[in-house]
Amino acid sequence: MASLDQLKLTFFEECSELLQQTEAGLSDIRDGQGTDDTINAVFRGVHSVKGGAGIFGFEALVEFAHVFETVLDTVRGGHLAASPDVLDVLLAASDVLSDLVQMSRAGDPIPPGFGHECRAALQQLIKSDAAEVDADDDSAAPADFDGIDFTPVFVNMDEG
């Protein structure tokens, strides 16, 4: 069975490949050569980095990758256009993710607030997408539940 150190080494080697593919994919999209498969591959790359980082407890890496992945999913779903401004943020996020992987690999502590500006830019893209979706939403407002009595009921899951 492989040791934890061997598994981490394999993870970081895979990260290097995934990060190169992510940057190449984002560059292709920026240059007008990207396809749906390209954005899907970029999404899967960031998702894979996040998943592996989670297994090894690299929380700062997971948290940043999650926001990055969410924006990519929004682009992938067609809710956010891959405009030059969006791609600039995504390429910067790719650089920050790469830096986080390198620091994690070296065992260096992640400085407080590292990548904060980029993360904020990613979150702003998500918020702008949510605002557009809300503006396009013609569905009825949720029902008002004021005045309804509610009593929680305890269920013992150990019996049975």
Side-chain angles (χ1 to χ4, degrees):
M1 178 174 246
S3 73
L4 184 59
D5 288 337
Q6 289 171 321
L7 293 172
K8 280 184 182 178
L9 181 61
T10 300
F11 164 68
F12 287 123
E13 288 171 357
E14 289 176 359
C15 281
S16 294
E17 293 173 26
L18 292 167
L19 291 168
Q20 288 174 2
Q21 292 169 3
T22 296
E23 186 172 348
L26 290 171
S27 294
D28 286 349
I29 294 167
R30 183 189 58 204
D31 296 340
Q33 299 171 1
T35 65
D36 288 344
D37 288 340
T38 308
I39 192 66
N40 288 332
V42 170
F43 173 85
R44 283 190 308 273
V46 173
H47 180 75
S48 295
V49 169
K50 181 184 90 169
I55 290 169
F56 295 111
F58 298 123
E59 292 303 316
L61 186 49
V62 170
E63 290 169 10
F64 185 84
H66 176 71
V67 177
F68 188 6
E69 173 188 58
T70 301
V71 174
L72 290 168
D73 193 42
T74 305
V75 172
R76 197 168 71 131
H79 302 289
L80 181 65
S83 68
D85 290 342
V86 168
L87 284 162
D88 287 346
V89 173
L90 294 175
L91 284 161
S94 179
D95 291 342
V96 170
L97 189 63
S98 181
D99 290 344
L100 287 167
V101 167
Q102 292 304 328
M103 286 184 262
S104 298
R105 183 177 199 160
D108 296 338
I110 308 298
F114 183 84
H116 175 73
E117 288 179 17
C118 187
R119 182 180 176 145
L122 289 167
Q123 289 171 322
Q124 188 61 41
L125 292 175
I126 297 166
K127 287 178 185 175
S128 67
D129 171 60
E132 288 178 27
V133 169
D134 288 345
D136 294 340
D137 188 1
D138 291 348
S139 62
D144 186 0
F145 292 106
D146 286 343
I148 295 177
D149 290 329
F150 172 74
T151 305
V153 178
F154 176 76
V155 177
N156 187 348
M157 300 300 287
D158 294 331
E159 292 182 11

